[in-house]
Amino acid sequence: MKNIFLLGATGSIGTQTLEVIEKEKYNLVGFSAGYNIKRTIEIIEKFKPKIVSIALEKDFLSLKELYPGIEIHHGDDGLVKVATFNNNDGLLVNAVVGSVGLIPTVEAIKVGKSICLANKETLVIAGDIITNLVKEYNVDMVPIDSEHSAIFQCLNGENRDEVEKIVITASGGAFRDKTRDELVGVSKKEALDHPNWAMGDKITIDSATMMNKGLEVIEAHHLFNIPFSKIETIIHYESIIHSMVEFIDGSVLAHLGLSDMTIPIAYALSYPNRIMSLKKLDFDNLSSLSFSKMDYGRFPLLKLAYEVGEMGGIMPCVMNAANEAAVELFLNEKISFLDIEKIVFNEVRSCENINNPTLDDIIRVDKEVYSSIILKNK
Amino acid sequence: MKNIFLLGATGSIGTQTLEVIEKEKYNLVGFSAGYNIKRTIEIIEKFKPKIVSIALEKDFLSLKELYPGIEIHHGDDGLVKVATFNNNDGLLVNAVVGSVGLIPTVEAIKVGKSICLANKETLVIAGDIITNLVKEYNVDMVPIDSEHSAIFQCLNGENRDEVEKIVITASGGAFRDKTRDELVGVSKKEALDHPNWAMGDKITIDSATMMNKGLEVIEAHHLFNIPFSKIETIIHYESIIHSMVEFIDGSVLAHLGLSDMTIPIAYALSYPNRIMSLKKLDFDNLSSLSFSKMDYGRFPLLKLAYEVGEMGGIMPCVMNAANEAAVELFLNEKISFLDIEKIVFNEVRSCENINNPTLDDIIRVDKEVYSSIILKNK
C-alpha cells in the first residue's frame, strides 16, 4: 500500500487527489490544508492521518485540542514537517498553489521522497536547483499538470535525444474568442468561466491571461530538459489532446483523454503503473478536434514567459511573483483584468537579473516582488 | 551499416523503402521485383545488390546474362532465396502484395532475420504460426503499415497488460461519402482515387471496400496479442492520427504525422532508433481532425473480418484469398465493385473451417480459393 503525503488537500487538485487515494485505498499519512477547517476535519476523520498542517495558528490550536493523537503543525514550517515526515517512506503530492510550494518540495527531495508535482511554481522559480536535487537524490518527479503528464507519457520508452519538439496545447481560456479591445472591463466572474476545465481560481485566471501556458512552458523546459526553442504552444479548443511530442522522424505522439484531472493525478500516484479508471473518452461521439496557431500578440504574457525563461536566473521568479500578486489583486477586485499584464510586464522590465540565484535569493525576491505590488495597490 | 533485403522492390512500398535506404546509406544486399524489368535494372545499377529475384523466367534469363556477377533467381522460390541469403545478417523488408509473402517471411525468421512487415497477408492468413516462430527464433517483427506502426509506437515503454483497447483509424477510402446505393456501378478509376494516401492498386481498392481495415484488425490481433473485442475502428477523415491506444486509466496515446509511408518505413528500418526526416506535420496550419463512428452496415466486409478473425483457423485465409481474387477481377474489369463483397461473403459462408491449419493447409486453401474464383469469373 502506498503512503501518500499531500500538500494542499483542500484545494481543487487536493480534493481530486483524495478521490484517487480513497478509490485506490492508498494510505494518506499526512496532509496540509488551507483555511477550510471544516473540510480539514472531514479529511482527518476519513483518512486518519498521522500528521496534519494547517495555514492559521488559531486553527492549529483547535486541531491540537480535537486530535491529541495526531501530530499537528501550521504555517510554512508545517508544510515542511508534513513533506519530510518518515523520510523517504512515501510519495509527496505537492498541490499547493504558488511559490509557497518550493521549500517543502526541496526538503522532501532531500529526505528521498519522490514527488508528484502539481505546484508548477516550484519548477518555474527554482527549476535548475530542483532538477539538480532530483538527480542528486535520485528520486522520481512525475508531473500532475495534464499537459506535462501528457508529455511525460509520450516520452515513455523513447530516446530524449530524438525529440524534435514539444507541442503544449492551450484551450485559450475564458476569453479566447475576445479581441484585446474586448478585454477592457471584463469581470472576475467572466474570467473564472473556463470553457473546458474546472480548476482553482488562480489557475483559471492564469488560463485567461495565458500566463498559465507561459508557466507551463518554463516548467516543461526544466522537467524534460529541453530548450525553449523546441517548445511550442498551440490553441486546441476541446482540451482533448493534452499535449504532443514530435520526434526527429516526423512521428508525433499525443496524449488524449477527458478533461478530468483525476487521470493525470492517478498516473502520477501509481507511476510506473496505471490504475483502472472509468473516465474514458467516448470515441463513438468523438467528432472533431480543432486547432489554431498561437497568437503571441493576443497573449503577450506567453511571449514574455519565453523571454523570461531564456533569461533564466531570478527572472522567472520575478515574473511569477508579480503574477501571483496581480492575480490576487484581480480576484479581490482591486485591479482590472488587463492590469494583470501591465503589472507583470512593469515588474519584469524594471528588474535586474541575478544569475544562478540561491534558494535564499529566490525566496527573498519572491516575497519582495509580491509584497511591493500588493502594497502599491492596497 | 544495416544490410537490407527487400521483397517487392518495384511496388509502392518497395519504391519508398528504396528512398529510405538511399537516404540513410543502408546496404541493399538483395531484393525481389515483379514484372517491371526496366525498373529492376535501374535498382541493380544504383544499389549493386548481391542477390536479385524476379517474377518471370524470361526476365530471369535476361538478368543472368546482363549481370553474371550477381546471384539471380525467379518465381516464388526466388523470394525465399533472397529472404534467407546470408542467414541472419540483415533485415527482411517484406513489401510484396498478397499471400505470396508468407513463405519468405517464415524462412527468413527461421534463419534469424528480423522482419519489417508491410505484407499484412502474412499475419492475416498465418498469424498464429508466425507469432510462434517470432518467439521461437527471438527475432523482431516491426510493422510498416502506418496504423500498426502507430500502435507499435504508442506501446513503447508501456505495459501491455494495461491496454484497454486499440483504436485503428480509417480514412473511409474513395467512397466514404457514398451510400451503398451509390456504390452500384462505380468504376475502377473512381475506386482508385483515395482521398489521403497514394498506395498500390490492391490496397487502394481494399480501402474502398474497408476490407483493408478488416485485414488490419486481424493483423493487429496477432501483432499485439490482443483480443478482437479490444480492437475498435473509427473513421478519421484527414488520416493524420494513424491509430491510438487506450490504457486502463483513461489515457489515450495517439500517433500523428503526414500521410507519407516513408515515415513508418524509416521507423521499421531504423528501429529501435529514429532517423531524421523533413516530412513534418505543419502544426501552424493544423486546423481540424474529424471523426465519425464506424458504420458496419455500410462496410460489411469489415464486420466479416471481425467474425472471421474470431473464428480463426483457416477462415482468415479463405477470406483473404477470396478478396485477392475478387479485387484482381475488379481491377481487370471483370466484375463490379459490389461483386467484391458478394464473392468474399459467398466464399466464407460456404467454407468449412480447419482448426490449427498447418502452413501446407494454408498454402493449399489459399491457392484453391483464389483459383476457383478466378476460373469461375473468366
Side-chain angles (χ1 to χ4, degrees):
Chain A
M1 194 166 66
K2 282 199 180 182
N3 290 330
I4 312 280
F5 297 84
L6 170 60
L7 303 185
T10 50
S12 170
I13 296 290
T15 304
Q16 294 174 83
T17 301
L18 291 173
E19 271 181 42
V20 173
I21 290 172
E22 188 180 2
K23 181 171 152 288
E24 293 303 313
K25 301 188 171 58
Y26 289 155
N27 188 21
L28 184 73
V29 185
F31 73 93
S32 83
Y35 306 97
N36 188 338
I37 182 78
K38 184 164 165 281
R39 179 78 189 115
T40 304
I41 288 171
E42 285 169 13
I43 298 170
I44 293 174
E45 292 294 333
K46 180 179 256 169
F47 293 93
K48 316 277 182 211
K50 291 189 177 150
I51 179 168
V52 173
S53 179
I54 192 145
L56 302 178
E57 194 175 2
K58 70 173 178 59
D59 294 332
F60 155 77
L61 295 170
S62 318
L63 287 179
K64 258 183 100 72
E65 219 175 277
L66 271 170
Y67 299 104
I70 298 178
E71 190 178 325
I72 310 281
H73 298 275
H74 70 102
D76 291 357
D77 188 52
L79 294 176
V80 173
K81 286 283 200 301
V82 173
T84 55
F85 191 83
N86 270 359
N87 296 312
N88 67 350
D89 181 15
L91 286 177
L92 178 70
V93 181
N94 188 341
V96 297
V97 176
S99 56
V100 67
L102 173 59
I103 298 299
T105 307
V106 167
E107 297 301 324
I109 295 171
K110 285 185 176 170
V111 297
K113 277 198 181 74
S114 283
I115 311 290
C116 303
L117 191 69
N119 176 259
K120 65 189 78 180
E121 291 82 357
T122 292
L123 280 174
V124 170
I125 68 180
D128 293 329
I129 293 172
I130 294 291
T131 50
N132 284 330
L133 283 171
V134 163
K135 262 180 246 159
E136 185 182 342
Y137 290 90
N138 194 27
V139 299
D140 285 326
M141 174 166 276
V142 185
I144 285 183
D145 253 357
S146 65
E147 293 81 356
H148 301 81
S149 179
I151 295 163
F152 191 92
Q153 293 180 51
C154 290
L155 289 172
N156 269 347
E158 298 292 341
N159 181 346
R160 301 284 174 104
D161 295 337
E162 293 171 357
V163 172
E164 176 75 22
K165 68 184 177 203
I166 280 174
V167 181
I168 301 180
T169 53
S171 68
F175 299 140
R176 66 182 175 200
D177 299 323
K178 284 196 194 303
T179 62
R180 288 191 62 79
D181 288 346
E182 289 168 342
L183 293 177
V184 176
V186 292
S187 71
K188 170 181 160 183
K189 187 164 169 293
E190 290 171 278
L192 285 174
D193 187 21
H194 193 283
N196 302 336
W197 291 93
M199 304 183 290
D201 287 357
K202 162 74 165 51
I203 189 175
T204 304
I205 301 302
D206 284 347
S207 291
T209 63
M210 206 56 90
M211 182 80 272
N212 183 49
K213 214 45 56 177
L215 299 176
E216 285 176 7
V217 166
I218 300 175
E219 187 185 2
H221 162 75
H222 291 294
L223 207 44
F224 306 115
N225 188 26
I226 188 165
F228 288 98
S229 59
K230 292 186 168 191
I231 306 174
E232 279 187 19
T233 59
I234 190 172
I235 299 273
H236 167 44
Y237 294 88
E238 296 85 4
S239 296
I240 286 179
I241 294 190
H242 297 140
S243 279
M244 305 184 253
V245 176
E246 184 180 65
F247 296 91
I248 56 168
D249 65 348
S251 287
V252 177
L253 293 181
H255 179 281
L256 291 75
L258 293 182
S259 307
D260 187 309
M261 285 305 298
T262 58
I263 298 173
I265 291 169
Y267 184 82
L269 266 63
S270 63
Y271 177 80
N273 300 309
R274 295 178 185 273
I275 51 185
M276 196 70 80
S277 162
L278 297 175
K279 293 180 174 166
K280 298 284 167 62
L281 205 56
D282 177 5
F283 287 100
D284 283 353
N285 288 309
L286 189 63
S287 68
S288 179
L289 304 175
S290 23
F291 304 87
S292 66
K293 198 178 162 177
M294 182 58 74
D295 179 349
Y296 293 99
R298 169 68 182 77
F299 297 112
L301 282 180
L302 175 54
K303 187 153 184 290
L304 183 71
Y306 273 96
E307 197 185 312
V308 155
E310 290 280 9
M311 292 160 91
I314 201 71
M315 297 311 289
C317 170
V318 171
M319 181 184 73
N320 180 69
N323 182 61
E324 276 191 30
V327 171
E328 191 177 313
L329 290 166
F330 175 71
L331 286 171
N332 291 330
E333 299 180 80
K334 303 272 189 195
I335 62 170
S336 76
F337 183 74
L338 286 173
D339 285 340
I340 300 174
E341 282 177 8
K342 267 185 229 158
I343 287 173
V344 176
F345 265 90
N346 277 345
E347 201 62 33
V348 168
R349 294 294 182 231
S350 65
C351 220
E352 225 169 287
N353 202 354
I354 303 172
N355 291 319
N356 303 310
T358 62
L359 267 184
D360 286 344
D361 291 332
I362 291 168
I363 291 158
R364 179 178 48 78
V365 170
D366 178 66
K367 283 207 164 62
E368 280 174 11
V369 170
Y370 177 86
S371 313
S372 80
I373 293 171
I374 296 287
L375 276 174
K376 259 185 266 177
N377 293 276
K378 267 277 177 196
Chain B
M1 195 165 66
K2 280 198 180 183
N3 290 330
I4 311 282
F5 297 84
L6 170 61
L7 303 185
T10 50
S12 170
I13 296 290
T15 303
Q16 294 174 82
T17 302
L18 291 175
E19 270 180 45
V20 173
I21 291 172
E22 189 181 359
K23 181 169 152 287
E24 293 304 312
K25 301 187 170 59
Y26 290 154
N27 188 21
L28 183 73
V29 186
F31 73 93
S32 83
Y35 306 97
N36 188 338
I37 182 78
K38 184 165 164 280
R39 179 77 189 116
T40 304
I41 289 171
E42 284 169 11
I43 298 170
I44 293 174
E45 293 293 334
K46 181 180 253 169
F47 293 94
K48 315 279 181 209
K50 291 188 177 152
I51 179 168
V52 173
S53 179
I54 191 143
L56 302 178
E57 193 174 4
K58 71 173 176 66
D59 294 332
F60 155 76
L61 295 171
S62 317
L63 288 179
K64 257 183 102 72
E65 220 174 276
L66 272 172
Y67 299 105
I70 299 178
E71 191 177 326
I72 310 281
H73 297 275
H74 71 102
D76 290 359
D77 188 51
L79 295 177
V80 173
K81 286 284 197 303
V82 172
T84 56
F85 190 83
N86 268 0
N87 296 312
N88 68 349
D89 181 15
L91 287 177
L92 179 70
V93 181
N94 188 340
V96 298
V97 177
S99 56
V100 66
L102 173 58
I103 298 301
T105 308
V106 168
E107 297 302 324
I109 296 171
K110 285 185 175 169
V111 297
K113 277 199 182 73
S114 282
I115 311 290
C116 303
L117 192 69
N119 176 261
K120 66 190 77 180
E121 291 82 358
T122 293
L123 281 173
V124 169
I125 68 181
D128 293 331
I129 293 173
I130 294 289
T131 50
N132 284 332
L133 284 172
V134 163
K135 261 180 247 157
E136 186 182 343
Y137 290 90
N138 194 28
V139 299
D140 285 326
M141 175 165 276
V142 185
I144 285 184
D145 253 357
S146 65
E147 293 81 356
H148 302 81
S149 180
I151 295 162
F152 191 93
Q153 292 180 51
C154 291
L155 290 171
N156 269 346
E158 298 291 342
N159 181 345
R160 300 285 174 102
D161 296 338
E162 293 171 357
V163 172
E164 175 76 21
K165 68 184 176 204
I166 279 174
V167 182
I168 301 180
T169 54
S171 68
F175 299 140
R176 67 182 175 199
D177 299 323
K178 286 195 192 304
T179 64
R180 287 191 62 79
D181 288 346
E182 290 168 340
L183 293 178
V184 176
V186 291
S187 70
K188 170 183 160 185
K189 188 166 168 292
E190 289 171 280
L192 286 175
D193 186 22
H194 194 283
N196 302 336
W197 291 93
M199 304 182 292
D201 287 358
K202 161 75 164 51
I203 189 174
T204 306
I205 302 302
D206 284 348
S207 291
T209 62
M210 206 58 88
M211 182 79 273
N212 182 51
K213 213 47 55 179
L215 300 176
E216 286 177 5
V217 165
I218 299 176
E219 187 186 2
H221 162 76
H222 292 294
L223 208 44
F224 306 114
N225 188 26
I226 187 164
F228 287 98
S229 59
K230 292 187 168 191
I231 305 175
E232 281 189 17
T233 59
I234 189 172
I235 299 272
H236 166 43
Y237 294 88
E238 296 85 2
S239 296
I240 285 178
I241 293 189
H242 297 140
S243 278
M244 306 184 253
V245 176
E246 185 180 67
F247 297 91
I248 55 169
D249 65 348
S251 286
V252 176
L253 293 181
H255 179 281
L256 292 76
L258 293 181
S259 308
D260 186 309
M261 285 306 295
T262 59
I263 297 173
I265 291 169
Y267 185 82
L269 267 62
S270 64
Y271 176 80
N273 300 309
R274 294 178 186 274
I275 51 184
M276 196 69 78
S277 162
L278 298 175
K279 293 179 173 166
K280 299 284 167 63
L281 206 55
D282 177 5
F283 286 101
D284 284 352
N285 288 308
L286 190 63
S287 66
S288 179
L289 304 175
S290 23
F291 304 88
S292 67
K293 198 178 163 176
M294 182 58 75
D295 178 349
Y296 293 99
R298 169 66 183 78
F299 297 111
L301 282 180
L302 175 55
K303 186 152 185 290
L304 183 69
Y306 274 95
E307 197 185 311
V308 156
E310 289 280 9
M311 293 159 92
I314 200 71
M315 297 312 290
C317 170
V318 170
M319 180 184 73
N320 180 69
N323 182 61
E324 276 191 31
V327 172
E328 191 177 313
L329 290 165
F330 175 71
L331 286 172
N332 292 329
E333 299 179 80
K334 304 271 188 194
I335 62 171
S336 76
F337 183 75
L338 285 173
D339 284 341
I340 300 174
E341 281 176 10
K342 268 185 228 155
I343 288 174
V344 176
F345 266 89
N346 276 345
E347 200 63 34
V348 167
R349 294 292 180 235
S350 65
C351 218
E352 226 171 285
N353 203 355
I354 304 172
N355 290 320
N356 304 311
T358 62
L359 266 183
D360 287 344
D361 291 332
I362 290 168
I363 291 159
R364 178 178 49 77
V365 170
D366 178 65
K367 282 206 164 60
E368 281 172 12
V369 170
Y370 176 86
S371 313
S372 80
I373 293 170
I374 296 287
L375 275 174
K376 258 185 265 175
N377 293 277
K378 269 275 178 200

